[in-house]
Amino acid sequence: MTTKRHADNHLMLERLMNIHAKIKSGCYPSAKQLAFELEVSLSTINRDIEFLKDRFNAPIVYDAKQRGIFYSEDYDMPLNMISPADLMTLSTAKQLLSHYEGTPVFEDASRIIDFLCDTQTAGNSSFLNRIALPPSPKIIVDEKIWNLIVKAMQKNLKIEFDYNGRWQTKTSHRKVRPYQILLDEGRCFLFGFSEERDSERIFLLSRIKKLTLTEETFSLPKDFDFNSRCAGGKFGTFLAEDSDEFVIDFYNDGRQYVKECVWAENQKITDYDDENRTEISFVSSQGLKIREWVLSQGANARPLKPEWFVKDWKKQLEEMRKLAEG
């Protein structure tokens, strides 16, 4: 389906460029003449001309005396003005979106990017492959569920579905006010208000089953954005009611690693070269994700605050030790 759509876009682009070139030459081509030369129907050419007018603001006018069309003012197609740098940016954007291949957002964005790039890549397509993402796991999203959630968000409709959570694997039924779809490291989440829990919750789309739209509407809060719930932390999709100040020491290779990113809006990084450590402190409400982050650094990271977080980290280490010893 995608391959056919891509081919159709490419053929349409070729026609648009040919029609533009003919009009630009000043030969007053007629729609009938263009249809004959491009070997398509008259209705197809008329649609292409309307597309140029509506989408590209082409000043196409019919001249009764010349029995053909012309540009009423100096004009060039915007596609002809895409710079190599812009082309590279578009290609890079597609690469970044490839984490979400298999989701409607990737298919739609790819179609638009391919539509734009196809006009410029003759003989240079290999250049667009000079920026790439390594292969990574992809979670398949049910397109029907995605589309229903998008429709519900557009109309502010409550939705109902069955769900198996990360910690509670038993299936539960939920009624939710959908706020946002969150895209995080190749995974797609729904952020919204769960009426059963009387609080905001996050749901992984791949675990949502039997989703239906209700006829009940809701008012979207002014502060619905998930980013405002993170207390300044930038650790992805996780939600907690309270925020804490985190203080973590990094050692060896971890010292450079922790200085290469902005992990929180209010982070403070201090080097203690005499002790061969670098300390980072920040406020966040994303404790679970921060725990995963610290554990991923192995012996190069040690949390100091808050106390509950340090205890949880030590508990994880103890459980790992037991697993290692068999």
Side-chain angles (χ1 to χ4, degrees), residues 83-326:
S83 69
D86 290 339
L87 193 62
M88 197 65 174
T89 299
L90 287 170
S91 178
T92 303
K94 182 178 177 180
Q95 290 290 341
L96 293 174
L97 282 169
S98 66
H99 273 309
Y100 303 97
E101 188 172 355
T103 68
V105 69
F106 176 80
E107 300 301 325
D108 291 341
S110 291
R111 176 170 51 84
I112 295 170
I113 291 172
D114 289 342
F115 184 91
L116 294 171
C117 289
D118 280 348
T119 64
Q120 305 290 319
T121 56
N124 292 309
S125 59
S126 61
F127 176 69
L128 298 182
N129 297 322
R130 299 299 292 274
I131 296 179
L133 289 178
S136 60
K138 295 180 176 65
I139 292 180
I140 298 175
V141 174
D142 187 323
E143 186 171 349
K144 181 180 178 181
I145 288 177
W146 173 283
N147 290 335
L148 284 173
I149 292 175
V150 169
K151 184 177 180 180
M153 291 192 299
Q154 289 172 336
K155 298 184 178 182
N156 285 341
L157 293 175
K158 297 179 183 179
I159 57 177
E160 293 191 36
F161 54 83
D162 291 340
Y163 190 72
N164 296 92
R166 176 172 179 173
W167 293 281
Q168 185 177 350
T169 55
K170 185 178 179 181
T171 301
S172 61
H173 190 73
R174 304 295 185 94
K175 178 182 281 189
V176 174
R177 305 168 195 172
Y179 290 171
Q180 290 176 303
I181 289 178
L182 307 176
L183 307 178
D184 182 13
E185 296 183 349
R187 297 187 294 175
C188 303
F189 298 85
L190 170 65
F191 171 53
F193 186 88
S194 175
E195 297 199 345
E196 287 77 14
R197 302 297 189 270
D198 194 30
S199 62
E200 294 173 342
R201 288 289 190 272
I202 296 171
F203 306 93
L204 187 62
L205 259 64
S206 59
R207 294 176 183 163
I208 293 176
K209 309 296 180 185
K210 300 179 181 178
L211 187 147
T212 59
L213 302 182
T214 74
E215 296 182 356
E216 299 178 55
T217 61
F218 66 95
S219 297
L220 187 67
K222 292 182 179 179
D223 62 342
F224 70 91
D225 186 12
F226 172 78
N227 292 326
S228 66
R229 308 295 192 272
C230 301
K234 300 182 182 298
F235 292 90
T237 306
F238 181 74
L239 186 66
E241 293 182 2
D242 300 318
S243 60
D244 284 287
E245 180 186 11
F246 291 83
V247 180
I248 304 164
D249 275 347
F250 283 81
Y251 304 89
N252 305 314
D253 296 343
R255 296 185 65 188
Q256 182 59 38
Y257 163 78
V258 75
K259 291 186 283 189
E260 291 173 346
C261 296
V262 176
W263 305 101
E265 293 175 4
N266 58 358
Q267 72 180 33
K268 180 181 179 182
I269 296 179
T270 307
D271 284 322
Y272 295 93
D273 293 332
D274 56 331
E275 301 176 22
N276 189 31
R277 69 182 176 92
T278 296
E279 180 185 281
I280 182 172
S281 62
F282 55 85
V283 174
S284 177
S285 61
Q286 299 170 289
L288 178 63
K289 299 289 286 188
I290 297 170
R291 184 185 74 183
E292 294 174 356
W293 177 58
V294 171
L295 289 172
S296 73
Q297 295 306 302
N300 287 334
R302 179 171 68 103
L304 304 178
K305 292 181 181 180
E307 184 178 351
W308 68 264
F309 184 77
V310 176
K311 289 181 179 180
D312 182 66
W313 171 72
K314 289 180 178 179
K315 180 181 177 182
Q316 293 295 316
L317 294 181
E318 178 62 21
E319 292 178 356
M320 291 168 65
R321 183 190 65 78
K322 291 178 181 178
L323 283 174
E325 292 177 351

Side-chain angles (χ1 to χ4, degrees), residues 12 15-16 41-52:
M12 182 181 181
R15 292 198 308 273
L16 294 178
S41 68
L42 183 60
S43 60
T44 296
I45 289 296
N46 284 329
R47 281 197 299 270
D48 289 343
I49 292 173
E50 289 303 312
F51 189 92
L52 284 169

